[in-house]
Amino acid sequence: MAGDQVTLLDLWASPFGMRVRIALAEKGVKYEYSEQDLRNKSALLLQMNPVHKKIPVLVHNGKPVCESLIIVQYIDEVWKDKAPLLPSDPYQRAQSRFWADFVDKKIYDIGRKIWTTKGEDLEAAKKDFIDCLKLLEGELGDKPYFGGDTIGYVDVALVPFYCWFYAYETIGNFNIEAECPKLIAYCKRCLQKESVSKSLQDPQKVCDFIVMLRKNLGVD
Amino acid sequence: MAKEDLLLLDFWASPFCMRVKVALAEKGVDYESKQEENLLGGKSELLLKSNPIYQKVPVLLDNGKPLSESTIIVSYIDEKWPSPPLLPACAYGRSQARFWADYIDKKLFDATCSIWRSTGAAVEASKKEFIEVLKVLEEALGEKDFFGGETFGFADIMAIPITSWFYASEKFGNFTVEAECPKLSAWIKRSMQRESVAKVLPDPEKVYEFVVMFRKMLGIE
């Protein structure tokens, strides 16, 4: 759309920001990326997301959209002529929303327990995490992507966490591929798409970042 | 569509179930419902089979196909029965409605319940937090009749059922929503004038009795 001004307020390591980057790339939308410092929040961020003060925020022609999955749905509706992310059938759409919501409720929070807890709590978090990934494997089945033959809403919601897996494995001392080979094969398949590979970050960099966060939080 | 094609697994006091019932009423869609009598002790086999991951109500079964999570069910109802629309036509308006529905989901019920879940000094702190959430919602409402503007819609449906639990919080917290947030109180009254809402929401006195019993069960003095 000519004359569109699109800005993304984001943090390089955020899997929530990555969701928006993938969606914009899938739709071929040109945008300005604005890296935010969350320890020293900018006036722009506070103005665009006064309620939560979080990233990502998509600013489209001056108007802000917040919350990553809400942003992805917005992108899907505005740039609807290319690469649809949600299916057209209402029941299939509900199923996609359910699984994206499952990722939202589980993956980040349980993953966070892996890098912030120790001992029994850590073991419980690892088990929980693998159980969730196995449920996702079950839902994926034999499809190449959750969206079917092409990347869809659930893929966009989930795959950014793949670049955080190495950090979870290193800190938690376990091997995700050994437990969930199908899911890892799926993630690698997604990475072959340019929209995904250009949006995700190097797992080593993410791991270094999380190790630093742990130190700052006083975990160890 | 026959009434038997739609089955709602329900619990009378659940504001999440109320959301689905209000949405169906707004659309004039008929359905069967089945009360889950014993959510704490013995969930029905149908519930466990239809929602194996969360094992919670509401579940809407459309010709046997299960849908769970109230916000997702309401979106489905809106898409399957498009008239009257619960979401605005423009993408930006829809993102705003979804944002406020999400805020309401994340904050309102927990804040409401934390008042009666607390004891002693914690009650005041919970009350303060609850009023802060209401004030954010008041600001979002502004001078509009409803969250979406002139018509009752998605975000209103997410919030209004939770207001049936306000009376219980007011009694335990010794305050009134009307005194603290008159604009929101006016929105509640306005919404309660809608037949869909008036018919679905339970008597707040009954909800209060339920909360009293629930507190006893949880051992809260």
Side-chain angles (χ1 to χ4, degrees), chain A residues 129-191:
Chain A
F129 192 74
I130 295 296
D131 286 346
C132 287
L133 294 186
K134 288 203 156 113
L135 278 170
L136 286 163
E137 274 188 331
E139 175 58 21
L140 180 65
D142 293 321
K143 304 193 296 291
Y145 307 103
F146 285 90
D149 290 325
T150 53
I151 281 200
Y153 189 66
V154 181
D155 305 285
V156 171
L158 174 62
V159 83
F161 289 98
Y162 177 57
C163 67
W164 280 53
F165 282 4
Y166 174 69
Y168 297 150
E169 289 173 316
T170 307
I171 295 169
N173 190 27
F174 68 127
N175 184 330
I176 296 173
E177 186 159 16
E179 307 269 2
C180 305
K182 266 189 148 183
L183 195 77
I184 299 302
Y186 152 78
C187 292
K188 288 178 178 164
R189 189 180 310 129
C190 288
L191 264 181

Coordinates of all heavy atoms in Angstrom, one line a residue, chain A residues 129-191:
Chain A
F129 N 7.7 -28.5 30.0 CA 8.1 -27.9 28.7 C 8.0 -29.0 27.7 O 7.4 -28.8 26.6 CB 9.5 -27.3 28.8 CG 9.9 -26.5 27.7 CD1 9.4 -25.2 27.5 CD2 10.8 -26.9 26.7 CE1 9.7 -24.4 26.4 CE2 11.2 -26.1 25.7 CZ 10.6 -24.9 25.5
I130 N 8.7 -30.1 27.9 CA 8.7 -31.2 27.0 C 7.2 -31.7 26.7 O 6.8 -32.0 25.6 CB 9.6 -32.4 27.4 CG1 11.0 -31.9 27.5 CG2 9.4 -33.6 26.6 CD1 11.6 -31.5 26.1
D131 N 6.4 -31.8 27.8 CA 5.0 -32.2 27.6 C 4.3 -31.3 26.7 O 3.5 -31.7 25.8 CB 4.3 -32.2 29.0 CG 4.7 -33.4 29.9 OD1 5.3 -34.3 29.3 OD2 4.4 -33.4 31.1
C132 N 4.5 -30.0 26.8 CA 3.9 -29.0 25.9 C 4.3 -29.2 24.5 O 3.5 -29.1 23.6 CB 4.2 -27.6 26.4 SG 3.3 -27.2 27.9
L133 N 5.6 -29.4 24.3 CA 6.2 -29.5 23.0 C 5.6 -30.8 22.3 O 5.3 -30.8 21.1 CB 7.7 -29.6 23.0 CG 8.4 -28.3 23.4 CD1 9.9 -28.5 23.2 CD2 7.9 -27.1 22.6
K134 N 5.4 -31.8 23.1 CA 4.8 -33.1 22.6 C 3.4 -32.9 22.2 O 2.9 -33.4 21.2 CB 4.9 -34.2 23.7 CG 6.3 -34.7 23.9 CD 6.4 -36.1 24.4 CE 7.7 -36.7 24.1 NZ 8.6 -37.0 25.2
L135 N 2.6 -32.1 23.0 CA 1.3 -31.8 22.6 C 1.2 -31.1 21.2 O 0.4 -31.3 20.3 CB 0.6 -30.9 23.6 CG 0.0 -31.6 24.8 CD1 -0.4 -30.6 25.9 CD2 -1.2 -32.5 24.4
L136 N 2.2 -30.1 21.0 CA 2.3 -29.4 19.8 C 2.7 -30.4 18.6 O 2.1 -30.2 17.5 CB 3.3 -28.3 19.9 CG 2.8 -27.1 20.7 CD1 4.0 -26.2 21.2 CD2 1.8 -26.2 19.9
E137 N 3.6 -31.3 18.9 CA 4.0 -32.3 17.9 C 2.7 -33.1 17.5 O 2.5 -33.3 16.3 CB 5.0 -33.3 18.5 CG 6.4 -32.9 18.4 CD 7.4 -34.0 18.8 OE1 7.0 -34.8 19.6 OE2 8.5 -34.0 18.2
G138 N 1.9 -33.4 18.4 CA 0.7 -34.2 18.1 C -0.3 -33.4 17.2 O -0.9 -33.9 16.3
E139 N -0.4 -32.1 17.5 CA -1.2 -31.2 16.7 C -0.7 -31.0 15.3 O -1.4 -31.0 14.3 CB -1.4 -29.8 17.4 CG -2.2 -28.8 16.6 CD -3.6 -29.2 16.3 OE1 -4.1 -30.2 16.9 OE2 -4.1 -28.7 15.3
L140 N 0.6 -30.9 15.2 CA 1.3 -30.8 13.9 C 1.0 -32.0 13.0 O 0.7 -31.9 11.8 CB 2.8 -30.6 14.0 CG 3.6 -30.4 12.7 CD1 3.2 -29.1 12.0 CD2 5.1 -30.3 13.0
G141 N 1.2 -33.2 13.6 CA 0.9 -34.4 12.9 C 1.9 -34.6 11.7 O 3.1 -34.3 11.9
D142 N 1.4 -34.9 10.5 CA 2.2 -35.1 9.4 C 2.3 -33.9 8.5 O 2.9 -33.9 7.4 CB 1.7 -36.3 8.5 CG 1.8 -37.6 9.3 OD1 2.9 -37.7 9.9 OD2 0.9 -38.4 9.2
K143 N 1.7 -32.8 8.9 CA 1.7 -31.6 8.1 C 3.1 -31.0 8.1 O 3.8 -31.0 9.1 CB 0.7 -30.5 8.7 CG -0.7 -31.1 8.8 CD -1.8 -29.9 9.0 CE -1.6 -29.2 10.3 NZ -1.9 -30.0 11.5
P144 N 3.5 -30.3 7.0 CA 4.8 -29.6 7.0 C 4.8 -28.4 8.0 O 5.8 -28.1 8.6 CB 5.0 -29.2 5.6 CG 3.7 -29.3 4.9 CD 2.8 -30.3 5.7
Y145 N 3.6 -27.7 8.0 CA 3.5 -26.6 9.0 C 2.2 -26.7 9.7 O 1.3 -27.4 9.2 CB 3.6 -25.3 8.2 CG 4.8 -25.1 7.3 CD1 4.6 -25.3 5.9 CD2 6.0 -24.8 7.8 CE1 5.7 -25.1 5.1 CE2 7.1 -24.7 7.0 CZ 7.0 -24.8 5.6 OH 8.1 -24.7 4.8
F146 N 2.0 -26.0 10.8 CA 0.7 -26.0 11.5 C -0.3 -25.4 10.5 O -1.5 -25.8 10.6 CB 0.8 -25.1 12.8 CG 1.5 -25.9 13.9 CD1 2.9 -25.7 14.1 CD2 0.8 -26.7 14.7 CE1 3.5 -26.4 15.1 CE2 1.4 -27.3 15.8 CZ 2.8 -27.2 15.9
G147 N 0.1 -24.5 9.7 CA -0.8 -23.9 8.7 C -1.1 -24.7 7.5 O -1.9 -24.3 6.7
G148 N -0.6 -25.9 7.5 CA -0.8 -26.9 6.3 C 0.4 -26.8 5.4 O 1.5 -27.1 5.9
D149 N 0.2 -26.5 4.2 CA 1.3 -26.5 3.2 C 2.1 -25.2 3.3 O 3.3 -25.1 2.8 CB 0.8 -26.6 1.8 CG 0.3 -28.0 1.5 OD1 0.9 -28.9 2.1 OD2 -0.7 -28.2 0.8
T150 N 1.5 -24.2 3.9 CA 2.3 -22.9 4.1 C 2.3 -22.5 5.5 O 1.4 -22.9 6.3 CB 1.6 -21.8 3.2 OG1 0.2 -21.7 3.5 CG2 1.8 -22.0 1.7
I151 N 3.2 -21.6 5.8 CA 3.3 -21.0 7.2 C 2.0 -20.3 7.5 O 1.4 -19.5 6.7 CB 4.5 -20.1 7.3 CG1 5.7 -20.9 7.4 CG2 4.4 -19.1 8.4 CD1 6.9 -20.2 7.9
G152 N 1.5 -20.5 8.8 CA 0.3 -19.8 9.2 C 0.5 -19.2 10.6 O 1.6 -19.1 11.1
Y153 N -0.7 -18.9 11.2 CA -0.7 -18.2 12.4 C 0.0 -18.9 13.6 O 0.7 -18.3 14.3 CB -2.2 -18.0 12.8 CG -2.6 -17.1 13.9 CD1 -2.3 -15.7 13.9 CD2 -3.2 -17.6 15.0 CE1 -2.6 -14.9 14.9 CE2 -3.5 -16.8 16.1 CZ -3.3 -15.5 16.1 OH -3.6 -14.6 17.1
V154 N -0.2 -20.2 13.7 CA 0.4 -20.9 14.8 C 1.9 -21.0 14.6 O 2.7 -20.9 15.5 CB -0.2 -22.4 14.9 CG1 0.4 -23.1 16.1 CG2 -1.7 -22.3 15.1
D155 N 2.3 -21.2 13.3 CA 3.8 -21.3 13.1 C 4.4 -19.9 13.5 O 5.5 -19.9 14.1 CB 4.0 -21.5 11.6 CG 3.3 -22.7 11.1 OD1 3.8 -23.8 11.4 OD2 2.2 -22.6 10.4
V156 N 3.8 -18.8 13.1 CA 4.3 -17.5 13.4 C 4.4 -17.3 15.0 O 5.3 -16.7 15.5 CB 3.4 -16.4 12.8 CG1 3.8 -15.0 13.3 CG2 3.6 -16.4 11.3
A157 N 3.4 -17.9 15.7 CA 3.4 -17.8 17.1 C 4.5 -18.6 17.8 O 5.0 -18.2 18.8 CB 2.0 -18.2 17.7
L158 N 4.8 -19.7 17.2 CA 5.6 -20.7 17.9 C 7.1 -20.6 17.5 O 8.0 -20.7 18.4 CB 5.1 -22.1 17.6 CG 6.0 -23.3 18.1 CD1 6.1 -23.3 19.6 CD2 5.4 -24.6 17.6
V159 N 7.4 -20.5 16.2 CA 8.8 -20.8 15.7 C 9.8 -19.8 16.3 O 11.0 -20.2 16.5 CB 8.8 -20.9 14.2 CG1 8.9 -19.5 13.5 CG2 10.0 -21.8 13.8
P160 N 9.4 -18.6 16.7 CA 10.5 -17.7 17.3 C 11.1 -18.3 18.5 O 12.3 -18.1 18.8 CB 9.7 -16.4 17.6 CG 8.6 -16.3 16.6 CD 8.2 -17.8 16.4
F161 N 10.4 -19.1 19.3 CA 11.0 -19.7 20.5 C 12.1 -20.7 20.2 O 12.9 -21.0 21.0 CB 9.9 -20.4 21.3 CG 8.9 -19.4 21.9 CD1 7.7 -19.0 21.4 CD2 9.3 -18.7 23.1 CE1 6.9 -18.1 21.9 CE2 8.5 -17.7 23.7 CZ 7.3 -17.4 23.1
Y162 N 12.1 -21.2 18.9 CA 13.2 -22.1 18.5 C 14.6 -21.5 18.8 O 15.5 -22.2 19.2 CB 13.0 -22.5 17.1 CG 14.1 -23.4 16.5 CD1 14.3 -24.7 17.2 CD2 14.9 -23.1 15.5 CE1 15.3 -25.5 16.7 CE2 15.9 -23.9 15.0 CZ 16.1 -25.1 15.6 OH 17.1 -26.0 15.2
C163 N 14.7 -20.2 18.5 CA 16.1 -19.7 18.8 C 16.4 -19.5 20.2 O 17.5 -19.1 20.6 CB 16.3 -18.4 17.9 SG 15.3 -17.0 18.4
W164 N 15.4 -19.7 21.1 CA 15.6 -19.7 22.6 C 15.9 -21.1 23.1 O 16.3 -21.2 24.3 CB 14.4 -19.1 23.3 CG 14.3 -17.6 23.2 CD1 14.4 -16.8 22.1 CD2 14.2 -16.7 24.4 NE1 14.3 -15.5 22.5 CE2 14.2 -15.4 23.9 CE3 14.1 -16.9 25.7 CZ2 14.1 -14.3 24.7 CZ3 14.0 -15.8 26.6 CH2 14.0 -14.5 26.0
F165 N 15.6 -22.1 22.3 CA 15.8 -23.5 22.8 C 17.2 -23.8 23.2 O 17.4 -24.5 24.2 CB 15.4 -24.5 21.7 CG 13.9 -24.7 21.5 CD1 13.0 -23.9 22.2 CD2 13.4 -25.7 20.6 CE1 11.6 -24.1 22.0 CE2 12.0 -25.8 20.4 CZ 11.2 -25.1 21.1
Y166 N 18.2 -23.3 22.5 CA 19.6 -23.6 22.8 C 19.9 -23.0 24.2 O 20.6 -23.7 25.0 CB 20.5 -23.0 21.8 CG 22.0 -23.1 22.1 CD1 22.6 -24.3 22.1 CD2 22.7 -22.0 22.4 CE1 24.0 -24.4 22.4 CE2 24.1 -22.1 22.8 CZ 24.7 -23.3 22.8 OH 26.0 -23.4 23.1
A167 N 19.4 -21.9 24.5 CA 19.6 -21.3 25.8 C 18.9 -22.1 26.9 O 19.5 -22.4 27.9 CB 19.0 -19.9 25.9
Y168 N 17.7 -22.6 26.7 CA 17.0 -23.5 27.6 C 17.8 -24.7 27.9 O 18.0 -25.2 29.0 CB 15.6 -23.9 27.1 CG 14.6 -22.8 26.9 CD1 13.6 -22.9 26.0 CD2 14.6 -21.6 27.7 CE1 12.7 -21.9 25.8 CE2 13.7 -20.6 27.5 CZ 12.7 -20.7 26.5 OH 11.8 -19.8 26.3
E169 N 18.3 -25.3 26.7 CA 19.1 -26.6 26.8 C 20.4 -26.4 27.6 O 20.7 -27.3 28.4 CB 19.4 -27.1 25.4 CG 18.2 -27.6 24.7 CD 18.5 -28.0 23.2 OE1 19.2 -27.2 22.6 OE2 18.0 -29.0 22.8
T170 N 21.1 -25.3 27.3 CA 22.3 -25.1 27.9 C 22.2 -24.8 29.4 O 22.9 -25.4 30.3 CB 23.0 -23.8 27.3 OG1 23.1 -24.1 25.9 CG2 24.4 -23.6 27.8
I171 N 21.2 -24.0 29.8 CA 21.0 -23.6 31.2 C 20.4 -24.8 31.9 O 20.7 -25.1 33.1 CB 20.2 -22.3 31.3 CG1 20.9 -21.1 30.7 CG2 19.8 -22.0 32.8 CD1 20.1 -19.9 30.5
G172 N 19.4 -25.4 31.3 CA 18.7 -26.5 31.9 C 19.3 -27.9 31.9 O 18.9 -28.8 32.5
N173 N 20.3 -28.0 31.0 CA 21.1 -29.2 30.9 C 20.2 -30.3 30.4 O 20.0 -31.3 31.1 CB 21.8 -29.6 32.2 CG 22.8 -30.7 32.0 OD1 23.3 -31.0 30.9 ND2 23.0 -31.5 33.0
F174 N 19.6 -30.2 29.2 CA 18.8 -31.2 28.6 C 18.8 -31.0 27.1 O 19.3 -30.0 26.6 CB 17.3 -31.3 29.2 CG 16.4 -30.2 28.8 CD1 15.2 -30.4 28.3 CD2 16.8 -28.8 29.1 CE1 14.3 -29.4 28.0 CE2 15.9 -27.8 28.8 CZ 14.7 -28.0 28.2
N175 N 18.3 -32.0 26.4 CA 18.3 -32.0 24.9 C 16.9 -32.1 24.4 O 16.2 -33.1 24.5 CB 19.2 -33.2 24.4 CG 19.4 -33.2 22.9 OD1 18.5 -32.7 22.2 ND2 20.5 -33.7 22.5
I176 N 16.4 -31.0 23.8 CA 15.1 -31.0 23.3 C 14.9 -31.9 22.1 O 13.9 -32.6 22.0 CB 14.6 -29.5 23.0 CG1 14.7 -28.7 24.3 CG2 13.3 -29.5 22.4 CD1 14.4 -27.2 24.1
E177 N 15.9 -31.9 21.2 CA 15.8 -32.7 20.0 C 15.6 -34.2 20.3 O 14.9 -34.9 19.6 CB 17.0 -32.5 19.1 CG 16.8 -33.2 17.7 CD 17.7 -32.6 16.6 OE1 18.7 -31.9 17.0 OE2 17.4 -32.9 15.5
A178 N 16.3 -34.7 21.4 CA 16.2 -36.1 21.7 C 14.8 -36.4 22.2 O 14.3 -37.5 21.9 CB 17.2 -36.4 22.9
E179 N 14.1 -35.5 22.8 CA 12.7 -35.7 23.3 C 11.7 -35.4 22.2 O 10.6 -36.1 22.1 CB 12.4 -34.8 24.5 CG 13.4 -34.9 25.6 CD 13.0 -36.0 26.6 OE1 12.0 -36.6 26.4 OE2 13.8 -36.1 27.6
C180 N 11.9 -34.4 21.4 CA 10.9 -34.0 20.4 C 11.6 -33.8 19.0 O 11.6 -32.7 18.5 CB 10.3 -32.7 20.9 SG 9.6 -32.8 22.5
P181 N 12.0 -34.9 18.4 CA 12.7 -34.8 17.1 C 11.8 -34.2 16.0 O 12.3 -33.4 15.2 CB 13.1 -36.2 16.8 CG 12.2 -37.1 17.7 CD 11.9 -36.3 18.9
K182 N 10.5 -34.6 16.1 CA 9.6 -34.1 15.0 C 9.5 -32.5 15.1 O 9.4 -31.9 14.0 CB 8.2 -34.7 15.2 CG 7.9 -35.9 14.5 CD 6.4 -36.3 14.6 CE 6.0 -37.0 13.3 NZ 4.5 -37.3 13.4
L183 N 9.4 -32.0 16.3 CA 9.2 -30.6 16.4 C 10.5 -29.8 16.0 O 10.4 -28.8 15.3 CB 8.9 -30.2 17.9 CG 8.4 -28.8 18.0 CD1 7.0 -28.7 17.6 CD2 8.5 -28.2 19.4
I184 N 11.6 -30.4 16.3 CA 12.9 -29.8 15.9 C 13.0 -29.8 14.4 O 13.4 -28.8 13.7 CB 14.1 -30.4 16.6 CG1 14.0 -30.2 18.1 CG2 15.4 -29.8 16.1 CD1 13.9 -28.8 18.6
A185 N 12.6 -31.0 13.8 CA 12.7 -31.1 12.3 C 11.8 -30.0 11.7 O 12.1 -29.4 10.7 CB 12.2 -32.5 11.9
Y186 N 10.6 -29.8 12.3 CA 9.7 -28.8 11.9 C 10.3 -27.4 11.9 O 10.2 -26.6 11.0 CB 8.4 -28.9 12.7 CG 7.6 -27.6 12.9 CD1 6.8 -27.1 11.8 CD2 7.8 -26.8 14.0 CE1 6.2 -25.9 11.9 CE2 7.1 -25.6 14.1 CZ 6.3 -25.2 13.1 OH 5.7 -23.9 13.2
C187 N 10.9 -27.1 13.1 CA 11.6 -25.8 13.2 C 12.6 -25.5 12.2 O 12.7 -24.4 11.6 CB 12.2 -25.6 14.7 SG 10.9 -25.6 16.0
K188 N 13.4 -26.6 11.9 CA 14.5 -26.4 10.9 C 13.9 -26.2 9.5 O 14.4 -25.4 8.7 CB 15.4 -27.7 10.9 CG 16.3 -27.7 12.1 CD 17.1 -29.0 12.1 CE 18.0 -29.0 13.4 NZ 18.6 -30.3 13.7
R189 N 12.7 -26.8 9.3 CA 12.0 -26.6 8.0 C 11.5 -25.2 7.9 O 11.7 -24.6 6.8 CB 10.8 -27.6 8.0 CG 10.0 -27.7 6.7 CD 8.9 -28.6 6.8 NE 9.3 -29.9 7.3 CZ 8.7 -30.5 8.3 NH1 7.6 -30.0 8.9 NH2 9.1 -31.7 8.8
C190 N 11.0 -24.6 9.0 CA 10.6 -23.2 9.0 C 11.7 -22.3 8.7 O 11.6 -21.3 8.0 CB 10.0 -22.9 10.3 SG 8.4 -23.6 10.6
L191 N 12.9 -22.6 9.3 CA 14.1 -21.8 9.1 C 14.5 -21.7 7.7 O 15.3 -20.7 7.3 CB 15.3 -22.3 10.0 CG 15.4 -21.6 11.3 CD1 16.6 -22.2 12.0 CD2 15.6 -20.1 11.2

